[in-house]
Amino acid sequence: MHRATHLRLPRLAPIGLGMLTGMLLASASAALGAATDDGANWPQWRGPLANGVAPQGNPPSKWSETENVKWKVKLPGAGAGTPIIWGNQVFIQVAIATGKKVESAAEKKSAALDSPNVFGQAQTPAAPAGAAPPEGERRRRPSGGPGGGGGGGGGGGGRSEKPTEIQQFALLSIDRATGQTQWQKIVREEVPHEGHHRDHGFASHSPVTDGQHVYSWFGSRGLHCYDLKGELKWEKIFGQQRTAAGFGEGNSPALHGNTLVVNWDHEGEDFIAAFDKTTGKELWRNPRDEKTTWTTPLIIQHEGKSQVIVSASQRIRSYDLATGKQLWECGGMTANVIPTPVSDFGMLYAISGFRGNSLLAIKLGKTGDLTDTAAIAWAHGKSTPYVPSPLLYGENLFFLAGNNAILSCLEAKSGKPLISEQRLEGPSGFYASPVGAGGRVYLAGRNGTSLVLKNSGQFEILATNKLDEKFDASPAVVGNELYLRGHEYLYCLAEK
């Protein structure tokens, strides 16, 4: 996620947003970490207000391969992170398969077993499949993963095989006007220590920028600070994550003011830590006890205090941004939390939907354990998302069911259902989170079909659009441009 140095409140543009000035002020206050130059950029994975909304955006409602495509460029590698935009630069992360392979430990072991020892005898056979793991590997047993269905990384169900191909983990700067690559930096070049879910690659993270530097985050490949010309300023390596079922990594950092926050939940020792964005110096670190999460921290301000909120399977926790001290916690999410919460109206909306359904509207300003207390303003237990994050657009809270093409919308203040489990025709399903701009809601489907809806309490489709791609990355909007990252191509869509 990405935050600017200071907060400027967005100005209402004459583009039919249908949003009251008071709502914009509340949204901007809630999303301190997401402050930008009047909302004219998309500096983090959920946009300038950290709620999925581009307050000055007015992209086209209709497009195809031959209509309203400003440019389309083939990316040098795979990834599912969101494009990040500041000024004339589009930042995007990729993992580039080099074709260079190293012999895996299993192959080495197999070769050793096939070779006789010095006495002409076969080597000791490996432990049978299903044997108990070493004591140090028994910490947690995962259930399912980011793609649903319990599928494994890379190629199918269960735990993914250890990779053997060298990957280049790269940060790209793309010219917003032309789509041409301005610079490309190889952050790390190595064989990943574990695989990934079959539907995702090794670059599911999004970078973050403050307009002066861009922070590239690849989890186990570290955190790297570049200036906007691509010069490395500092970097930090944190070790190797062990994700549930080897499904791979996919959260992003959060940035507010001078503080950069990283959350590290995996099948090992967990922590959340803050760093000085200029020098990389660690400011504070708190231990956590969680299963793997793929969610990105949310930084908000309430009653004059900035806090970092992380949703997770066991507990939603809030930390003081300045000190790292835990402020409050709340149970109630499902397992395998992926969606990032949103906040407004003095409440936090935390949501998850793996093997269960949970949406909690939590009143801010409380401390301690808020589980099952009056701090829960309202709760909703139907058709909540597994992978996509919710969209908080004005007073409307939009979310999908699981990873499926089923949409709901609630009144954010009260939890009153406005659209209930509406099946969407065209898209096969969704990993991408919805975004809002110009009074419209944009939904990018996994099969290349995208829907544009009216932002209202009534279900109204404005357009159905199809491109020759598949979309798992969440869209980004700046001005009159919509950015869609596919499996191979990056699109910039704008009316001609």
Side-chain angles (χ1 to χ4, degrees):
M1 301 180 76
H2 330 302
R3 325 278 202 248
T5 308
H6 58 282
L7 178 65
R8 294 185 184 177
L9 300 180
R11 296 189 297 264
L12 279 172
I15 54 177
L17 287 179
M19 300 168 67
L20 296 176
T21 302
M23 186 283 296
L24 283 173
L25 295 176
S27 295
S29 176
L32 259 182
T36 72
D37 183 7
D38 291 326
N41 302 289
W42 192 274
Q44 61 187 350
W45 110 264
R46 287 306 280 150
L49 303 179
N51 58 6
V53 176
Q56 295 187 24
N58 190 26
S61 298
K62 296 182 179 181
W63 61 83
S64 69
E65 289 289 340
T66 58
E67 180 184 10
N68 289 334
V69 177
K70 181 176 179 179
W71 48 258
K72 172 185 177 182
V73 295
K74 187 175 178 63
L75 297 171
T82 295
I84 300 305
I85 299 103
W86 191 282
N88 193 45
Q89 291 177 275
V90 180
F91 301 104
I92 200 162
Q93 298 188 159
V94 298
I96 304 170
T98 65
K100 302 175 184 177
K101 293 192 175 183
V102 298
E103 189 178 19
S104 68
E107 290 171 331
K108 291 179 181 178
K109 193 167 190 177
S110 176
L113 291 173
D114 290 340
S115 302
N117 60 22
V118 292
F119 300 104
Q121 299 170 326
Q123 304 293 317
T124 303
E135 187 65 32
E137 296 297 322
R138 297 182 189 176
R139 181 179 181 228
R140 301 184 182 104
R141 283 298 185 189
S143 56
R159 194 172 290 273
S160 59
E161 294 184 3
K162 186 174 178 63
T164 60
E165 184 174 6
I166 296 173
Q167 301 281 331
Q168 291 180 337
F169 297 89
L171 172 68
L172 279 66
S173 173
I174 295 173
D175 188 288
R176 182 177 162 194
T178 65
Q180 298 299 309
T181 298
Q182 297 172 326
W183 49 260
Q184 176 176 316
K185 299 298 177 180
I186 306 301
V187 171
R188 297 270 286 191
E189 183 170 342
E190 63 187 36
V191 177
H193 64 283
E194 69 174 16
H196 56 77
H197 186 271
R198 62 175 175 258
D199 291 338
H200 298 286
F202 294 110
S204 295
H205 320 77
S206 301
V208 53
T209 185
D210 60 2
Q212 298 177 341
H213 296 89
V214 56
Y215 302 89
S216 177
W217 166 251
F218 279 103
S220 294
R221 268 58 67 176
L223 178 64
H224 312 264
C225 173
Y226 291 87
D227 66 19
L228 299 193
K229 296 180 180 179
E231 293 187 14
L232 181 66
K233 296 302 180 180
W234 57 261
E235 58 185 1
K236 282 189 172 294
I237 307 299
F238 299 91
Q240 294 183 344
Q241 289 189 359
R242 300 198 316 273
T243 59
F247 280 117
E249 308 166 18
N251 68 349
S252 302
L255 175 62
H256 166 58
N258 199 47
T259 305
L260 190 66
V261 178
V262 166
N263 191 59
W264 187 274
D265 289 344
H266 69 133
E267 303 304 292
E269 296 300 318
D270 306 325
F271 65 85
I272 183 171
F275 303 88
D276 184 295
K277 72 172 186 179
T278 304
T279 65
K281 177 184 177 182
E282 185 168 309
L283 302 175
W284 53 259
R285 179 182 293 227
N286 261 356
R288 288 168 55 84
D289 182 17
E290 276 295 343
K291 301 176 181 179
T292 303
T293 57
W294 294 270
T295 187
T296 294
L298 174 70
I299 300 179
I300 65 172
Q301 185 181 57
H302 184 73
E303 296 179 345
K305 177 172 288 189
S306 298
Q307 53 185 291
V308 185
I309 300 174
V310 183
S311 185
S313 299
Q314 298 186 50
R315 296 265 138 175
I316 308 159
R317 299 179 182 90
S318 172
Y319 303 89
D320 187 305
L321 179 64
T323 66
K325 178 184 177 182
Q326 183 172 308
L327 302 175
W328 58 264
E329 63 180 354
C330 185
M333 291 292 97
T334 68
N336 292 1
V337 174
I338 300 175
T340 299
V342 290
S343 181
D344 205 344
F345 313 113
M347 290 187 282
L348 177 87
Y349 303 94
I351 194 167
S352 65
F354 175 71
R355 295 185 179 175
N357 296 277
S358 181
L359 167 54
L360 299 178
I362 303 172
K363 297 177 184 177
L364 298 171
K366 310 294 183 180
T367 59
D369 189 346
L370 308 184
T371 309
D372 298 326
T373 69
I376 310 300
W378 55 263
H380 182 82
K382 294 173 59 179
S383 299
T384 51
Y386 183 18
V387 172
S389 292
L391 167 67
L392 182 55
Y393 199 175
E395 297 188 2
N396 298 326
L397 183 64
F398 294 90
F399 55 90
L400 296 152
N403 301 326
N404 302 313
I406 299 174
L407 179 73
S408 294
C409 177
L410 307 184
E411 185 180 86
K413 291 182 179 180
S414 67
K416 174 185 176 182
L418 301 175
I419 301 172
S420 297
E421 301 172 278
Q422 175 67 51
R423 184 165 295 278
L424 305 173
E425 299 296 331
S428 59
F430 297 93
Y431 279 169
S433 303
V435 299
R440 300 178 290 273
V441 175
Y442 293 79
L443 296 160
R446 299 200 64 213
N447 63 353
T449 298
S450 299
L451 299 180
V452 182
L453 313 178
K454 186 176 181 180
N455 177 31
S456 71
Q458 297 181 341
F459 181 69
E460 181 179 346
I461 296 178
L462 301 177
T464 300
N465 305 299
K466 177 70 174 178
L467 292 172
D468 298 336
E469 252 286 18
K470 297 178 180 179
F471 299 105
D472 290 338
S474 297
V477 176
V478 175
N480 65 349
E481 297 171 348
L482 172 67
Y483 294 83
L484 293 178
R485 180 195 189 152
H487 286 199
E488 296 184 67
Y489 293 89
L490 175 64
Y491 291 80
C492 177
L493 306 175
E495 289 188 3
K496 295 183 177 180

